[in-house]
Amino acid sequence: MAANEQQLSQIAMANLPSGAELMLLNQSAANAAVCAADLNGDRLPEVAAVYRLRNQLHLVVLQQKNGVWERAADIKGHGHGVAQLIVMPVLRAGQNNLIVGWQINAQWSKLSVYEWSKDGLRDVAPSGMSYSYMEAMDMPSKQGQDGKAELAIWMQSSGESYHIDVLRWQEGSFVPAHDVYSYYFPHVVKYYERLVWRYPQYPLYWYHLADAQHRSGRAEPALVSVHQALAFAQPTRDTLLELEQSIRDVLEPGGASRAVGLFPASLKTVKGMRWGYIDNRGRMAVDPRFDDAGDFQENGLAVVSEKGKYGIINASAQFIVPPIYDSIGTFSEQRASVIDSQGFKLINENGTVLTKKAYPFIADMHNGRAVFYDTLPGASGESTIKYGYLDAQGNVVIPAQFEEANDFQGNKALVKVKDNEYALIGLDGRRLHTYKYASVGPLGDGLLSFQRELAGKTGYMDETGNIVIQPTFYSAFPFEDGRAIVNTSDDFRSKYGVINKQGAFIIKAAYNDIRSLGSRRFAVGNAIDPQQPFIGSIYAIADWDGKLLTDFKYRDVADFKDGLASASDVKQTFFIDLTGQLAAGYPRVNGSGTLTLEEGGLIKAYVDQRLSYLDRTGRIVWQQNTIIPLKEPYFVKEEKYKPNRDYLVYYPQVEGIADQAAKHKVNAKLRELSQVKPIPENQKLDYSYSGDFDVSFYKQQLLQLELTGYHFPFGAAHGMPTKKYAIIDLTTGQMFALKDLFKPGSNYVKELSEIIGKQIKNDPQYSYVFPNTYNGIRPDQPFFVSENALHIYFEPYEIAPYAAGFPTFTIPFAQIRSILDTNGAFWKSFH
């Protein structure tokens, strides 16, 4: 050991707690896990070291003051050893960071990148960021070096093969450093060239060689390597074909742009559901800090929410649009509608508001036009709604003047001018054709549906108004590629069929449901129960000429995309191809839902109301957690109850309560409140039910669980939501009622009733409450608590319309302090 290293080790050991031992790098007998560098910017070196105390690793930073070394920071580490201890600027040039590789096992180390802050050391690396081997250096790009270290992360996949990427800290997160690939990946090429020379029959090495050549900018050799690997026809074939296509995108003009490669992922926490983003290896690349997170769109942006407001982030998880909106729509033609307290507005991809005022409604942009409506004064003095169109700059290009308006397609749009008068207009609002009918449907494949009378039958006309199919249908959908779905039944028993432009039936009108799936395919549905057709259908796949390609075996089928469609039967969800049969080379997932093929080969599975990601073999890359850790020894475990395809409940079970009898009683009550009850397995229900839960509040020994449900009778206009709270003392297992919060003998019902009555009378937000329906609360009124307040709520329809949901009234504890039992078990459990 060099004299300097000896001195550093002596300094470190002299300042370790009693019983601690200084760790060695990679269990080496020569190199101690100790280093010296200026970490806080005062131009004086600090000493950093890793030690073990009672089987727990610690990172300590020593600072010299007045000639004496003092501990400036001491934090807990991870794993059982130290793979690396490096000092380099990572976050910003000229400011050192401490890079630690915490050894988890023989193959994996957890990466930590510490920066010095006013509160001590802060680890900025995501919690799931791990590696098998890592190099840190300031890598040159075409613009030179930037004074910050890039991190080359090697992730072992099997044997001597690794998935490799180079990352850089940029705008608050680690992102791929594409501009230095040409510097680093030639080293990776040499590594895999040695492997394919030693093992020429191993296709995985050829794949990794091709990938490294591709990222080095050597597309032609990469294509040769891909073809060498394809010759083996191994299970990696689909992955190789994807790599081949990405290489060809570089070689051929108009190649596809690089995908963001981040996918929304949800986690249940003690603060409720939180959303982040994983990469295509299932690593949490963006910490779960959002209330909600949408997919990254084609423009590389995603809509997320924080604290109930929505904003837009880029691929570096930086806000392009701050979270200030109540809602943000999907981008269409580089424009999106947003909603704030003033109403709808139109923004561009930079977040700039383009409209000069807010409107009650703005639709998506099509053909450079977006439908909007405004409230205008009517002839009788009452306000009336009129529709118009905005252009891409947010200007009113066609004033609000129509009673109805459809999106533009092919630079034409159908509008309703007034009763019994419709028109087809151009982009400037000029009338192209006028139609004097009671109802006219939107344009589809050059034809429009129409009715002479509102209660009459429907036919089709061309754009000029010439009738091409006489009115013979009770409902008729727009034409698509020479086909239209129609219904010939005049009662609740539908008789759907498909016609061509001559009005001839391609598929006879005899089915409970028919849906166009795109790619010239239909889903044709027979009623599960002909006496109750509203219960649903079971589907077969038909081609555009009406030929049935399958039996009636699918309970649901999504649209086709790139030759695949998600489908499900009674037990599983899977992909089908254009023949309607199970697509080869893709997994089947137990449960009902949808599968989506994502960029990079991942499969997003939203099945049984839970999100997961799989690879092509069906291996789970990531799935939502089923354990919510609390303070040890307590945790909440998610259990699933699905006795029937139409009955699904996720319910909580609390672990760690010392009294086993109390624990069993609590968990039995949670099952009961969650509606876990006997349900027939194979019987078709006339309703569906789904239940779920969240931790809505947790402090000290108080755990509050929100249990939600939704009961939907098939054929009803809407279902009925339910909400209950289980409020538990973890030390005793006691489940609290409203009365437990108040002093014995206090008239809490009267006092709370009066407070809520005044809120209904004086607060405009409660103007929706039905007149004369509120008569106070019950002694067992539904409620929940938060840090500083009691919240009383009512069921839908109880005192307000269905749309109001669960009317909730907040009463600060300070307002009812005189009747609170501050010495009671309920209050003391979280105070």
Side-chain angles (χ1 to χ4, degrees), residues 129-161:
M129 195 170 182
S130 302
Y131 66 90
S132 303
Y133 171 71
M134 181 188 69
E135 289 187 288
M137 66 184 80
D138 185 4
M139 302 181 193
S141 66
K142 291 181 180 179
Q143 287 73 40
Q145 294 171 293
D146 61 2
K148 298 192 303 180
E150 285 76 28
L151 307 179
I153 303 294
W154 293 53
M155 305 281 289
Q156 187 173 23
S157 55
S158 66
E160 298 177 78
S161 63

Side-chain angles (χ1 to χ4, degrees), residues 181 185 189 208-223 226 242-251 258:
Y181 280 3
F185 275 94
V189 169
H208 285 299
L209 174 59
D211 180 61
Q213 290 168 327
H214 174 41
R215 292 202 270 183
S216 298
R218 299 166 59 190
E220 290 83 358
L223 208 54
V226 166
E242 290 174 6
L243 177 58
E244 179 188 32
Q245 184 58 53
S246 66
I247 296 168
R248 289 192 183 281
D249 287 339
V250 174
L251 292 172
R258 189 177 183 91

Side-chain angles (χ1 to χ4, degrees), residues 447-611:
L447 299 181
L448 304 99
S449 63
F450 73 96
Q451 290 177 294
R452 291 190 176 98
E453 303 89 20
L454 286 178
K457 293 185 178 182
T458 304
Y460 290 90
M461 61 182 172
D462 64 20
E463 292 183 22
T464 65
N466 295 317
I467 296 174
V468 296
I469 301 174
Q470 290 295 328
T472 56
F473 313 111
Y474 283 95
S475 61
F477 294 83
F479 267 89
E480 173 192 352
D481 197 11
R483 302 287 187 266
I485 298 170
V486 296
N487 182 18
T488 64
S489 175
D490 62 351
D491 62 18
F492 68 94
R493 291 182 176 88
S494 299
K495 292 182 179 179
Y496 283 100
V498 177
I499 60 173
N500 61 19
K501 284 192 169 183
Q502 289 72 49
F505 278 96
I506 303 300
I507 297 177
K508 64 181 180 179
Y511 295 100
N512 191 53
D513 187 23
I514 297 180
R515 292 190 283 118
S516 173
L517 304 176
S519 299
R520 298 172 66 86
R521 294 292 183 271
F522 292 105
V524 180
N526 281 330
I528 295 172
D529 181 354
Q531 300 307 312
Q532 301 181 84
F534 50 82
I535 284 179
S537 301
I538 185 165
Y539 295 93
I541 306 301
D543 66 16
W544 218 235
D545 296 321
K547 178 183 177 182
L548 290 181
L549 304 177
T550 71
D551 295 331
F552 289 85
K553 58 184 179 180
Y554 300 125
R555 292 295 299 271
D556 197 15
V557 186
D559 290 349
F560 276 94
K561 181 181 179 182
D562 299 328
L564 296 174
S566 175
S568 62
D569 56 21
V570 175
K571 294 184 177 180
Q572 293 185 313
T573 301
F574 38 80
F575 283 118
I576 59 173
D577 59 24
L578 289 171
T579 70
Q581 304 299 330
L582 186 69
Y586 295 91
R588 299 170 71 102
V589 181
N590 291 330
S592 305
T594 58
L595 303 181
T596 308
L597 192 61
E598 301 286 343
E599 295 288 342
L602 274 189
I603 296 169
K604 178 194 286 185
Y606 188 73
V607 175
D608 284 350
Q609 301 182 16
R610 285 297 181 266
L611 180 65

